[in-house]
Amino acid sequence: MQAVAPFQRKFVRTLTLKDRPELLDHCFYPQKKGWKNISDRFPVMPMTASIDMLVHLAEDLFTDKKAIAVEDISASKWLAVEEPKTIEIDVSYDGKSRLKINIIGHFVGTVLLADGYPAAPKPKLEPLNNPRASSIPARMVYDGGWLFHGPAYQGISSFKAVGDNGIHGVIKASRVPGALLDNVGQIAGIWIMQAMPIDKYAMPIRIKRISFFGKQPERGEVDCNVRCVRARARDVMFNMEIASEGQIWATIDGWEKWRFECDDKLWNFLISPGRALISEQKDSFTYFEHQYLSDAICDDLSKRYLRQAEREVYLSLGKKRQSWI
């Protein structure tokens, strides 16, 4: 291939549930069967599906190259697709091996290209400290409400062990775009739920680097080792190794999840809709003390429990939103 000079290009893509029906299995807020207003379910693109989009765009632009890594990944706003969503994509190529790809307003990352995949490394994550059985059985992860994902993203098949510093799980490989890496993030989330006494509600926001050592496995079982390398009040960072057929397929350095303010009462309320209360009953009255809720949690509750017309009222209130909800 002849050298390609640096360039900048713009692309426009439209995301629809017709073209991406699997996104109906990535809805944050469950509703009863047959619910007609899709916006009440809030279907969104997983961060990992955006990563998959970047990889395929880069390889489509350079058909004789392989994406061997994605660096400096940052998600700023969910890509909600309850209605057709047109996105603008900026691509900047450095003339060597890097394409910085920006899904404007939502997501950015840099894809590294090479002639072929590098040799797979040996495992290097430290052993689990104090290994033990997971307190959350794999069979209950989805059916028990610990995770919101529908069938297309229900890839966790078992947990081998959980430790003070991480978790070891097994994933059923899938052809759904982004599902395998989403399952890796799910396993990290399950560790947070067991390891953190409060603020267990966490979402992905950044990844320093994902390195690929071969084509993504599409069938069979995939081994996933996750280690916590930093835990702070508002965020947790992980390193991961994902292996298929005894060989590492990908490593992930610096996967960050943001922890939302969430005490036990709110946490039980979030994972057990219809069964747990956030309000308190006292002297024949029902009380809801909202002062401890952050703006982010109030926004989440508005999407979770308000209908579309009610959400429009909520959004119009500005700084009065928290007291109104």
Side-chain angles (χ1 to χ4, degrees):
M1 170 182 160
Q2 293 182 342
V4 177
F7 64 75
Q8 290 188 327
R9 296 182 188 174
K10 293 184 180 293
F11 298 87
V12 176
R13 298 284 189 271
T14 299
L15 304 173
T16 70
L17 290 173
K18 181 179 179 180
D19 296 330
R20 302 292 299 269
E22 74 274 7
L23 297 180
L24 287 171
D25 285 331
H26 200 264
C27 296
F28 279 176
Y29 309 122
Q31 306 294 344
K32 66 180 181 180
K33 188 175 181 180
W35 197 263
K36 294 183 178 180
N37 190 333
I38 296 297
S39 70
D40 288 342
R41 296 175 59 193
F42 198 54
V44 301
M45 283 269 287
M47 184 177 78
T48 54
S50 296
I51 294 170
D52 181 83
M53 183 185 298
L54 266 59
V55 166
H56 280 87
L57 177 55
E59 292 185 341
D60 286 345
L61 288 171
F62 293 87
T63 56
D64 61 341
K65 300 290 184 180
K66 297 295 183 184
I68 63 166
V70 186
E71 293 182 337
D72 302 325
I73 298 163
S74 179
S76 56
K77 183 180 179 182
W78 287 113
L79 259 171
V81 292
E82 65 266 22
E83 296 180 348
K85 175 74 173 181
T86 298
I87 56 174
E88 297 180 354
I89 305 173
D90 282 351
V91 178
S92 298
Y93 176 57
D94 69 353
K96 298 177 181 178
S97 62
R98 283 175 160 78
L99 289 97
K100 183 177 181 180
I101 305 177
N102 187 359
I103 303 175
I104 303 299
H106 296 276
F107 186 87
V108 65
T110 298
V111 180
L112 278 68
L113 296 171
D115 292 332
Y117 295 111
K122 298 293 184 182
K124 65 178 183 179
L125 292 179
E126 63 182 38
L128 286 175
N129 295 333
N130 188 25
R132 55 197 181 273
S134 172
S135 62
I136 303 173
R139 68 180 185 278
M140 293 299 295
V141 164
Y142 306 108
D143 293 344
W146 294 95
L147 297 175
F148 64 84
H149 305 75
Y153 296 95
Q154 292 181 356
I156 297 175
S157 58
S158 67
F159 297 121
K160 291 188 175 181
V162 63
D164 297 338
N165 61 333
I167 187 170
H168 185 182
V170 178
I171 297 166
K172 181 173 63 177
S174 168
R175 294 184 178 182
V176 174
L180 177 54
L181 288 178
D182 190 79
N183 294 152
V184 174
Q186 292 175 29
I187 289 176
I190 291 295
W191 182 82
I192 291 175
M193 295 174 194
Q194 297 180 71
M196 301 297 166
I198 60 171
D199 301 339
K200 302 176 183 182
Y201 186 26
M203 289 291 176
I205 53 171
R206 280 184 292 271
I207 301 175
K208 288 184 179 179
R209 180 182 171 107
I210 304 176
S211 301
F212 301 110
F213 304 97
K215 186 178 179 181
Q216 178 177 315
E218 295 182 342
R219 60 176 62 88
E221 290 192 333
V222 177
D223 206 58
C224 176
N225 253 308
V226 175
R227 296 295 181 272
C228 176
V229 295
R230 188 185 75 201
R232 302 190 299 196
R234 293 271 66 86
D235 62 70
V236 186
M237 180 184 287
F238 300 93
N239 291 342
M240 294 110 155
E241 292 175 348
I242 306 104
S244 175
E245 298 181 347
Q247 191 172 59
I248 288 181
W249 162 67
T251 59
I252 301 177
D253 298 308
W255 182 314
E256 290 186 57
K257 283 179 174 277
W258 183 261
R259 298 171 64 194
F260 294 91
E261 296 177 42
C262 185
D263 62 11
D264 283 343
K265 183 187 294 184
L266 179 58
W267 174 246
N268 291 331
F269 182 65
L270 294 177
I271 67 171
S272 302
R275 300 190 298 274
L277 292 174
I278 194 173
S279 56
E280 294 183 1
Q281 293 183 330
K282 184 178 179 181
D283 298 330
S284 300
F285 291 93
T286 299
Y287 296 88
F288 172 45
E289 296 291 341
H290 68 273
Q291 286 84 353
Y292 72 97
L293 296 179
S294 66
D295 288 342
I297 287 295
C298 283
D299 286 346
D300 182 274
L301 291 175
S302 74
K303 294 172 183 174
R304 192 178 296 266
Y305 290 104
L306 300 182
R307 293 173 179 263
Q308 184 175 8
E310 295 168 329
R311 290 196 302 274
E312 291 172 358
V313 173
Y314 170 81
L315 291 172
S316 72
L317 295 175
K319 294 181 179 180
K320 297 180 180 180
R321 292 178 188 176
Q322 192 177 96
S323 60
W324 183 83
I325 197 170

